[in-house]
Each structure stands twice: as structure tokens, then as C-alpha cells.
Amino acid sequence: MSTEIRTFTIPDASAEEAQTQLSSFLRTVEVQRIETAYADGAWRVLVLFTDLRRKEESQQIEAAIAAALNGWRDKAAVQAGVTRDAVLSDDLVQEIARFAPTTEHELSIIMNARGLGAAPHGGEIVQVVRSTLDLLIDD
């Protein structure tokens, strides 16, 4: 989720209308930081923000990937006769869902960052992520 930037100018001459626009905008975003400066009869307002609609979309995508991974690891655990945590830990499921790796190389970066070796089911894991993303994009 990336931070975006938007600037507003609030001129002394028509401050009320400009302030109303700024207030409306601020209600639709998650503000990271606001910088202000006054020059030439107007306030300049710089807003660093995260778009809440995109944040909500990201959370929905993460939840869908986590659900698909959980379903896959339940089946894999039964087949291997082990616990689902032995196949993939809960926190690793969340990490994979957050980054949504679509290649084994991307997955290996996540695994290495956590001090783990290659995922034994790497190909299957990225296939679950890919097919989940495909389903979400087709909707």
C-alpha cells in the first residue's frame, strides 16, 4: 500500500470553499502527514495519505489469499499426515497473503527474510496465490 501526495491551496480571498474541499477529502483518506506553508496570500497544504478504498481492497485481497492458503494447507496436511502448522505456520500464511508472491522466486525472498529455507510446497503455494488473484481480478 503506497502513500500518495495531494496539494491544496487555501487562498485568503476564498478560504471557506477551499477549506470545505480539503475537509471533504480528508474524510476519505488515512492521513500520514500534513505540511503547511503560507505564501502569496494563500496557505499551501501538502497531504501525504493512503486511500482508504485501496486499503480496504488490499485487506479483502489478503483475506481471500489467506483463506485459499488455509484451505490448501488443510488438504496438504491431511495428505502428509501432519498438522497444518507443519505445512505452513499461521504467521507465514499471513505474510504470504500480504505480499502475494506469484513466482517461486518472490516466495523465496519472503522465506529468506524470515530466516527460512525454500518452501517445500513452493510451486503449489504460488499457484494458490495466482489462482486466487485471477479469481478476484475476473470478478
Side-chain angles (χ1 to χ4, degrees):
M1 193 166 27
S2 62
T3 299
E4 298 178 51
I5 299 172
R6 183 153 171 203
T7 58
F8 292 86
T9 301
I10 302 177
D12 290 343
S14 59
E16 194 170 316
E17 182 184 336
Q19 286 174 338
T20 301
Q21 287 178 330
L22 175 59
S23 294
S24 299
F25 172 75
L26 292 175
R27 281 193 292 277
T28 66
V29 298
E30 182 177 296
V31 174
Q32 305 298 319
R33 193 165 133 201
I34 295 179
E35 298 285 334
T36 58
Y38 187 81
D40 303 323
W43 282 98
R44 307 288 193 267
V45 181
L46 176 75
V47 182
L48 281 75
F49 66 96
T50 303
D51 188 314
L52 292 176
R53 289 173 304 235
R54 286 201 195 116
K55 182 178 181 181
E56 189 176 309
E57 261 176 38
S58 295
Q59 288 171 333
Q60 290 170 348
I61 291 167
E62 276 183 44
I65 292 171
L69 284 170
N70 283 326
W72 167 81
R73 84 174 166 159
D74 287 343
K75 290 177 193 155
V78 168
Q79 288 173 345
V82 296
T83 66
R84 60 190 252 154
D85 250 15
V87 174
L88 210 56
S89 67
D90 287 340
D91 61 328
L92 196 50
V93 166
Q94 293 308 314
E95 192 86 349
I96 293 168
R98 188 159 66 102
F99 290 105
T102 56
T103 67
E104 287 190 59
H105 178 71
E106 290 172 351
L107 178 61
S108 72
I109 293 169
I110 294 167
M111 301 296 284
N112 290 336
R114 304 198 65 171
L116 304 168
H121 304 281
E124 294 173 62
I125 293 169
V126 295
Q127 187 52 51
V128 169
V129 172
R130 260 194 240 128
S131 57
T132 304
L133 290 172
D134 288 346
L135 284 172
L136 293 172
I137 291 166
D138 288 345
D139 286 348

PDB file of all heavy atoms in Angstrom, residues 12 17 26 30 47 53-54 58-59 73-74 88 97 120:
ATOM      1  N   ASP A  12      -6.587  33.331   0.879  1.00  0.00           N
ATOM      2  CA  ASP A  12      -7.267  34.180   1.861  1.00  0.00           C
ATOM      3  C   ASP A  12      -8.607  34.665   1.322  1.00  0.00           C
ATOM      4  O   ASP A  12      -9.585  34.760   2.052  1.00  0.00           O
ATOM      5  CB  ASP A  12      -6.399  35.400   2.216  1.00  0.00           C
ATOM      6  CG  ASP A  12      -5.174  35.004   3.025  1.00  0.00           C
ATOM      7  OD1 ASP A  12      -5.148  33.883   3.581  1.00  0.00           O
ATOM      8  OD2 ASP A  12      -4.220  35.827   3.091  1.00  0.00           O
ATOM      9  N   GLU A  17     -14.548  27.982   0.948  1.00  0.00           N
ATOM     10  CA  GLU A  17     -14.788  26.954  -0.070  1.00  0.00           C
ATOM     11  C   GLU A  17     -13.616  25.979  -0.150  1.00  0.00           C
ATOM     12  O   GLU A  17     -13.796  24.764  -0.197  1.00  0.00           O
ATOM     13  CB  GLU A  17     -15.013  27.609  -1.434  1.00  0.00           C
ATOM     14  CG  GLU A  17     -15.319  26.597  -2.531  1.00  0.00           C
ATOM     15  CD  GLU A  17     -15.448  27.251  -3.901  1.00  0.00           C
ATOM     16  OE1 GLU A  17     -15.750  28.458  -3.970  1.00  0.00           O
ATOM     17  OE2 GLU A  17     -15.233  26.530  -4.888  1.00  0.00           O
ATOM     18  N   LEU A  26     -10.179  14.942   3.309  1.00  0.00           N
ATOM     19  CA  LEU A  26      -9.566  14.324   4.487  1.00  0.00           C
ATOM     20  C   LEU A  26     -10.447  13.232   5.103  1.00  0.00           C
ATOM     21  O   LEU A  26      -9.934  12.299   5.714  1.00  0.00           O
ATOM     22  CB  LEU A  26      -9.213  15.385   5.539  1.00  0.00           C
ATOM     23  CG  LEU A  26      -8.096  16.348   5.147  1.00  0.00           C
ATOM     24  CD1 LEU A  26      -7.910  17.421   6.214  1.00  0.00           C
ATOM     25  CD2 LEU A  26      -6.796  15.610   4.889  1.00  0.00           C
ATOM     26  N   GLU A  30      -6.699   8.055   4.819  1.00  0.00           N
ATOM     27  CA  GLU A  30      -5.975   7.896   6.082  1.00  0.00           C
ATOM     28  C   GLU A  30      -4.737   8.777   5.972  1.00  0.00           C
ATOM     29  O   GLU A  30      -3.833   8.498   5.180  1.00  0.00           O
ATOM     30  CB  GLU A  30      -5.584   6.433   6.252  1.00  0.00           C
ATOM     31  CG  GLU A  30      -4.872   6.136   7.553  1.00  0.00           C
ATOM     32  CD  GLU A  30      -4.577   4.655   7.685  1.00  0.00           C
ATOM     33  OE1 GLU A  30      -5.531   3.868   7.755  1.00  0.00           O
ATOM     34  OE2 GLU A  30      -3.388   4.309   7.692  1.00  0.00           O
ATOM     35  N   VAL A  47      -0.673  17.037   1.640  1.00  0.00           N
ATOM     36  CA  VAL A  47      -1.213  15.911   2.401  1.00  0.00           C
ATOM     37  C   VAL A  47      -0.596  14.616   1.884  1.00  0.00           C
ATOM     38  O   VAL A  47      -0.697  14.310   0.699  1.00  0.00           O
ATOM     39  CB  VAL A  47      -2.759  15.843   2.271  1.00  0.00           C
ATOM     40  CG1 VAL A  47      -3.319  14.708   3.102  1.00  0.00           C
ATOM     41  CG2 VAL A  47      -3.406  17.162   2.660  1.00  0.00           C
ATOM     42  N   ARG A  53     -10.126   3.384   0.228  1.00  0.00           N
ATOM     43  CA  ARG A  53     -10.747   2.374  -0.649  1.00  0.00           C
ATOM     44  C   ARG A  53      -9.701   1.361  -1.084  1.00  0.00           C
ATOM     45  O   ARG A  53      -9.954   0.157  -1.090  1.00  0.00           O
ATOM     46  CB  ARG A  53     -11.384   3.038  -1.866  1.00  0.00           C
ATOM     47  CG  ARG A  53     -12.639   3.843  -1.520  1.00  0.00           C
ATOM     48  CD  ARG A  53     -13.089   4.582  -2.745  1.00  0.00           C
ATOM     49  NE  ARG A  53     -11.978   5.416  -3.231  1.00  0.00           N
ATOM     50  CZ  ARG A  53     -12.046   6.710  -3.445  1.00  0.00           C
ATOM     51  NH1 ARG A  53     -13.150   7.347  -3.264  1.00  0.00           N
ATOM     52  NH2 ARG A  53     -10.998   7.386  -3.873  1.00  0.00           N
ATOM     53  N   ARG A  54      -8.505   1.841  -1.406  1.00  0.00           N
ATOM     54  CA  ARG A  54      -7.438   0.912  -1.804  1.00  0.00           C
ATOM     55  C   ARG A  54      -7.003   0.058  -0.628  1.00  0.00           C
ATOM     56  O   ARG A  54      -6.691  -1.105  -0.779  1.00  0.00           O
ATOM     57  CB  ARG A  54      -6.242   1.681  -2.369  1.00  0.00           C
ATOM     58  CG  ARG A  54      -6.528   2.215  -3.736  1.00  0.00           C
ATOM     59  CD  ARG A  54      -5.245   2.514  -4.498  1.00  0.00           C
ATOM     60  NE  ARG A  54      -5.599   3.340  -5.633  1.00  0.00           N
ATOM     61  CZ  ARG A  54      -5.190   4.575  -5.814  1.00  0.00           C
ATOM     62  NH1 ARG A  54      -4.393   5.129  -4.957  1.00  0.00           N
ATOM     63  NH2 ARG A  54      -5.562   5.258  -6.861  1.00  0.00           N
ATOM     64  N   SER A  58      -7.073  -3.947  -0.540  1.00  0.00           N
ATOM     65  CA  SER A  58      -5.891  -4.732  -0.174  1.00  0.00           C
ATOM     66  C   SER A  58      -6.226  -5.722   0.930  1.00  0.00           C
ATOM     67  O   SER A  58      -5.793  -6.875   0.892  1.00  0.00           O
ATOM     68  CB  SER A  58      -4.758  -3.828   0.309  1.00  0.00           C
ATOM     69  OG  SER A  58      -4.312  -3.013  -0.735  1.00  0.00           O
ATOM     70  N   GLN A  59      -7.001  -5.274   1.916  1.00  0.00           N
ATOM     71  CA  GLN A  59      -7.369  -6.158   3.026  1.00  0.00           C
ATOM     72  C   GLN A  59      -8.254  -7.303   2.526  1.00  0.00           C
ATOM     73  O   GLN A  59      -8.106  -8.443   2.968  1.00  0.00           O
ATOM     74  CB  GLN A  59      -8.087  -5.362   4.120  1.00  0.00           C
ATOM     75  CG  GLN A  59      -7.138  -4.451   4.873  1.00  0.00           C
ATOM     76  CD  GLN A  59      -7.845  -3.488   5.804  1.00  0.00           C
ATOM     77  OE1 GLN A  59      -9.000  -3.115   5.588  1.00  0.00           O
ATOM     78  NE2 GLN A  59      -7.146  -3.060   6.840  1.00  0.00           N
ATOM     79  N   ARG A  73      -3.565 -25.730   2.718  1.00  0.00           N
ATOM     80  CA  ARG A  73      -2.683 -26.363   3.710  1.00  0.00           C
ATOM     81  C   ARG A  73      -3.421 -27.406   4.535  1.00  0.00           C
ATOM     82  O   ARG A  73      -2.824 -28.376   4.979  1.00  0.00           O
ATOM     83  CB  ARG A  73      -1.955 -25.339   4.562  1.00  0.00           C
ATOM     84  CG  ARG A  73      -2.697 -24.809   5.742  1.00  0.00           C
ATOM     85  CD  ARG A  73      -1.825 -23.906   6.584  1.00  0.00           C
ATOM     86  NE  ARG A  73      -2.706 -23.194   7.492  1.00  0.00           N
ATOM     87  CZ  ARG A  73      -2.332 -22.643   8.608  1.00  0.00           C
ATOM     88  NH1 ARG A  73      -1.076 -22.679   8.972  1.00  0.00           N
ATOM     89  NH2 ARG A  73      -3.187 -22.042   9.377  1.00  0.00           N
ATOM     90  N   ASP A  74      -4.745 -27.251   4.717  1.00  0.00           N
ATOM     91  CA  ASP A  74      -5.523 -28.294   5.398  1.00  0.00           C
ATOM     92  C   ASP A  74      -5.462 -29.596   4.605  1.00  0.00           C
ATOM     93  O   ASP A  74      -5.228 -30.667   5.171  1.00  0.00           O
ATOM     94  CB  ASP A  74      -6.986 -27.864   5.572  1.00  0.00           C
ATOM     95  CG  ASP A  74      -7.164 -26.791   6.649  1.00  0.00           C
ATOM     96  OD1 ASP A  74      -6.241 -26.604   7.477  1.00  0.00           O
ATOM     97  OD2 ASP A  74      -8.229 -26.141   6.649  1.00  0.00           O
ATOM     98  N   LEU A  88       2.550 -25.132   6.918  1.00  0.00           N
ATOM     99  CA  LEU A  88       2.749 -23.687   6.815  1.00  0.00           C
ATOM    100  C   LEU A  88       2.198 -23.056   8.089  1.00  0.00           C
ATOM    101  O   LEU A  88       1.033 -23.290   8.428  1.00  0.00           O
ATOM    102  CB  LEU A  88       1.975 -23.174   5.594  1.00  0.00           C
ATOM    103  CG  LEU A  88       2.443 -21.970   4.818  1.00  0.00           C
ATOM    104  CD1 LEU A  88       3.865 -22.133   4.314  1.00  0.00           C
ATOM    105  CD2 LEU A  88       1.510 -21.695   3.658  1.00  0.00           C
ATOM    106  N   ALA A  97       0.088 -13.932   2.291  1.00  0.00           N
ATOM    107  CA  ALA A  97      -1.127 -13.234   1.831  1.00  0.00           C
ATOM    108  C   ALA A  97      -0.851 -11.741   1.660  1.00  0.00           C
ATOM    109  O   ALA A  97      -1.339 -11.125   0.718  1.00  0.00           O
ATOM    110  CB  ALA A  97      -2.267 -13.459   2.822  1.00  0.00           C
ATOM    111  N   PRO A 120       8.885 -26.050   0.999  1.00  0.00           N
ATOM    112  CA  PRO A 120       8.791 -27.378   0.389  1.00  0.00           C
ATOM    113  C   PRO A 120       7.684 -27.473  -0.659  1.00  0.00           C
ATOM    114  O   PRO A 120       7.790 -28.217  -1.606  1.00  0.00           O
ATOM    115  CB  PRO A 120       8.498 -28.302   1.565  1.00  0.00           C
ATOM    116  CG  PRO A 120       8.667 -27.500   2.800  1.00  0.00           C
ATOM    117  CD  PRO A 120       8.725 -26.059   2.430  1.00  0.00           C
TER     118      PRO A 120
END
